[in-house]
């Protein structure tokens, strides 16, 4: 196990009715609040009203920035940064899924930056200060409610890039599983696939001796597998929504990656797909993951895949290890199919026009440094297997 510096500083209020803590938390940071949200979902399901009730206080001034797109755009972050500067914002309140929280993170950092916010996406070491962020999560998927990362899209340049800085970790997150009851089926499925992908990206590593992290990861995977299906069939099942929500935070907050050796493979490949075709992140991951698994299965990786098959899918350990690994990959694909995720890139509108350039960029921007290094040709082969 490698050395690490543990720091998961986000204070979490988890469960039904925890929105009642919001007013006090806001006031700990100041009085000028920028409320950031997406389309109309929080108005339709009543979360907006519950939040506004908490902000109804003579000492609190609320400014709003709405219409944050899924795959949040740099243009929204620019608007948010201007508002922070002109209205002397003290704290950002992000109410939504990963897109809203990610955009809020870039806004929080840009509030103290003189240049264009895109410069911070390109080089997050330029972030020296950030406004505090409070998140109210409405979709279990990205883990942005408890991590240091944001992923921002620039549609003019077909770039979707990740950034990360410790200063961007939300100070407080309110996680009420009931807030996810209205998440559409495809987003519930995509969110579950995204959580699972975060776990896979960490679980498939080359570090020896991170036994505890691997067992944590397997428990999280089993939680997703069990409750993803239930949440789809019964959207108002509290137990399912609660378990998915807590799994989403722990999949990426560092708990399972501390002490292992980093390097993600499938996310860099997916980010190029979203950048060029604006597809749903979790759907892209579900399509690519089983094909990536098949592609990287070899003498070197088979033991890890067999471990996955035995510990997560309960496959008979007396079988041949390649047989176990192949069964595990089949089970992974079968699970995403059960969640009714479209399982080919063609189905989500990806054609073969940009495969070469996407493969080159995906390799350069991360896939090269993953569990099994993927050069441009490897990524291209995986894209082709996924068509
Ligand atoms: O815009 P609204 O109206 O809010 O609707 C959203 C949106 O259409 C809807 N939704 C959210 N909560 C809802 C709801 N609809 C009904 N009821 C609710 N309670 O769901 C749609 C998708 O929302 P979005 O925030 O885009 O989804 P998600 O949370 O999956 O975030 C995806 C973004 O996060 C990035 C992705 O790349 C993508 O840009 N990621 C961020 C990461 C991070 N910060 O660490 C890591 C991830 O790997 C990922 O890359
Ligand atoms: Zn993800």
């Amino acid at each position: 196990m490698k050395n690490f510096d543990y720091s998961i500083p986000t204070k979490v209020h988890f469960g039904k009715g925890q929105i009642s803590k919001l007013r006090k938390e806001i006031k700990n940071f100041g009085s000028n609040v920028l409320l950031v949200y997406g389309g109309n979902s929080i108005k339709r399901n009543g979360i907006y009203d519950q939040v506004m009730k908490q902000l109804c206080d003579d000492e609190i001034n609320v400014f709003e920035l709405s219409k944050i797109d899924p795959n949040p755009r740099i243009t929204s972050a620019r608007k948010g940064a201007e508002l922070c500067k002109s209205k002397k914002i003290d704290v950002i309140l992000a109410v939504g899924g990963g897109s809203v929280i990610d955009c809020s993170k870039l806004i929080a950092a840009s509030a103290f930056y003189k240049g264009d916010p895109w410069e911070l996406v390109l080089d997050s070491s330029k972030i020296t200060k950030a406004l505090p962020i409070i998140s109210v999560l409405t979709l279990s998927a990205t883990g942005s409610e408890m991590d240091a990362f944001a992923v921002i899209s620039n549609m003019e340049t077909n770039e979707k890039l990740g950034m990360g800085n410790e200063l961007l970790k939300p100070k407080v997150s309110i996680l009420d599983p009931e807030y996810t009851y209205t998440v559409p089926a495809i987003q519930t499925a995509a969110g579950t696939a995204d959580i699972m992908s975060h776990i896979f990206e960490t679980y498939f590593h080359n570090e020896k001796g991170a036994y505890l992290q691997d067992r944590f990861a397997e428990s999280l995977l089993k939680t997703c597998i069990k409750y993803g299906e239930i949440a789809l069939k019964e959207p108002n099942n509290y137990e399912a929504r609660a378990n998915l929500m807590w799994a989403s935070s722990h999949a990426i907050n560092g708990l399972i990656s501390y002490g292992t050796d980093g390097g993600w493979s499938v996310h860099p490949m997916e980010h190029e797909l979203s950048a060029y075709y604006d597809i749903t992140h979790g759907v892209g991951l579900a399509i690519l993951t089983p094909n990536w698994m098949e592609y990287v299965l070899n003498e070197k990786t088979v033991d890890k895949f067999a471990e996955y098959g035995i510990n997560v899918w309960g496959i008979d350990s007396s079988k041949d290890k390649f047989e176990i690994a192949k069964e595990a990959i089949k089970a992974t694909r079968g699970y995403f199919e059960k969640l009714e995720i479209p399982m080919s890139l063609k189905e989500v509108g990806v054609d073969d026009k940009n495969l070469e350039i996407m493969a080159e960029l995906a390799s350069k921007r991360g896939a090269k440094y993953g569990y099994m290094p993927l050069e441009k040709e490897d990524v291209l082969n995986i894209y082709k297997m996924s068509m």
Side-chain angles (χ1 to χ4, degrees):
M1 197 190 296
K2 284 191 161 42
N3 288 4
F4 57 89
D5 299 309
Y6 175 99
S7 169
I8 309 180
T10 306
K11 187 205 272 189
V12 172
H13 296 295
F14 190 98
K16 294 179 191 180
Q18 290 284 33
I19 197 75
S20 64
K21 311 263 167 72
L22 182 60
R23 188 193 317 259
K24 188 165 175 283
E25 293 293 2
I26 293 267
K27 289 173 90 167
N28 287 338
F29 295 106
S31 54
N32 289 347
V33 181
L34 180 67
L35 169 62
V36 182
Y37 57 99
N40 255 333
S41 76
I42 65 164
K43 293 205 170 152
R44 283 196 303 272
N45 58 24
I47 297 173
Y48 178 86
D49 290 340
Q50 290 189 31
V51 167
M52 287 314 274
K53 212 168 140 195
Q54 288 291 312
L55 302 180
C56 200
D57 183 314
D58 289 345
E59 292 168 27
I60 299 179
N61 308 309
V62 185
F63 302 89
E64 293 192 18
L65 177 69
S66 63
K67 299 195 173 59
I68 305 301
D69 296 295
N71 297 328
R73 316 294 201 240
I74 184 63
T75 43
S76 305
R78 286 184 183 128
K79 273 190 214 157
E82 282 308 312
L83 274 171
C84 287
K85 288 173 183 166
S86 63
K87 305 294 181 194
K88 301 201 168 20
I89 295 297
D90 298 309
V91 51
I92 299 180
L93 176 58
V95 183
S99 295
V100 168
I101 305 174
D102 283 8
C103 192
S104 299
K105 288 177 176 172
L106 179 55
I107 294 170
S110 305
F112 296 103
Y113 187 68
K114 285 205 178 78
D116 181 34
W118 188 247
E119 292 167 20
L120 299 182
V121 179
L122 294 175
D123 180 3
S124 39
S125 71
K126 287 185 175 161
I127 299 172
T128 52
K129 206 174 165 189
L131 284 170
I133 296 167
I134 297 183
S135 87
V136 175
L137 185 65
T138 66
L139 199 174
S140 306
T142 65
S144 190
E145 67 276 10
M146 223 174 166
D147 75 16
F149 311 113
V151 188
I152 305 294
S153 294
N154 186 333
M155 304 317 272
E156 283 165 23
T157 56
N158 283 130
E159 283 175 294
K160 176 173 175 173
L161 302 179
M163 59 187 287
N165 190 297
E166 283 296 304
L167 294 165
L168 304 182
K169 287 182 175 170
K171 295 280 181 274
V172 179
S173 283
I174 294 182
L175 309 185
D176 182 341
E178 291 189 319
Y179 283 6
T180 62
Y181 285 174
T182 54
V183 173
I186 184 63
Q187 291 293 342
T188 298
T192 304
D194 189 21
I195 305 168
M196 290 175 70
S197 178
H198 298 157
I199 305 165
F200 290 140
E201 299 277 25
T202 303
Y203 180 72
F204 289 97
H205 61 77
N206 294 303
E207 183 63 29
K208 294 273 172 267
Y211 179 90
L212 179 61
Q213 288 88 329
D214 288 351
R215 304 294 84 75
F216 278 151
E218 287 160 359
S219 306
L220 289 167
L221 283 169
K222 285 164 97 165
T223 301
C224 295
I225 292 163
K226 177 176 163 90
Y227 288 109
E229 248 187 298
I230 298 176
L232 266 192
K233 287 196 193 107
E234 304 166 32
N236 291 14
N237 184 312
Y238 185 82
E239 183 178 321
R241 294 296 194 179
N243 277 280
L244 287 175
M245 196 171 241
W246 201 216
S248 98
S249 303
H250 285 303
I252 195 173
N253 67 3
L255 182 77
I256 61 171
S257 57
Y258 283 131
T260 68
D261 67 350
W264 287 23
S265 311
V266 181
H267 272 67
M269 294 193 274
E270 194 296 311
H271 284 168
E272 295 309 322
L273 295 174
S274 302
Y276 278 82
Y277 296 92
D278 200 16
I279 67 170
T280 298
H281 174 62
V283 169
L285 294 170
I287 297 169
L288 294 171
T289 295
N291 296 311
W292 167 78
M293 287 178 164
E294 273 174 20
Y295 193 81
V296 300
L297 176 62
N298 57 31
E299 275 300 338
K300 194 171 165 227
T301 62
V302 65
D303 289 328
K304 189 74 196 183
F305 278 100
E307 190 175 305
Y308 165 59
I310 294 163
N311 293 344
V312 175
W313 293 105
I315 298 168
D316 179 356
S317 60
S318 65
K319 290 185 178 176
D320 166 72
K321 59 187 181 182
F322 271 99
E323 203 183 327
I324 299 172
K326 284 179 186 161
E327 268 186 47
I329 297 171
K330 200 170 160 211
T332 311
R333 188 187 297 280
Y335 182 71
F336 294 143
E337 283 167 356
K338 243 194 220 170
L339 296 186
E340 297 188 3
I341 298 176
M343 287 302 284
S344 72
L345 291 178
K346 275 206 183 94
E347 284 172 81
V348 296
V350 177
D351 52 34
D352 48 19
K353 263 194 251 154
N354 297 304
L355 293 186
E356 292 265 347
I357 178 73
M358 291 191 303
E360 190 179 335
L361 292 171
S363 173
K364 207 164 73 185
R365 290 179 175 156
K368 213 181 204 167
Y369 313 104
Y371 172 54
M372 291 298 286
L374 301 174
E375 298 298 335
K376 176 188 167 184
E377 283 311 309
D378 301 311
V379 178
L380 194 57
N381 287 335
I382 295 169
Y383 282 152
K384 286 181 180 163
M385 287 164 76
S386 308
M387 289 302 281

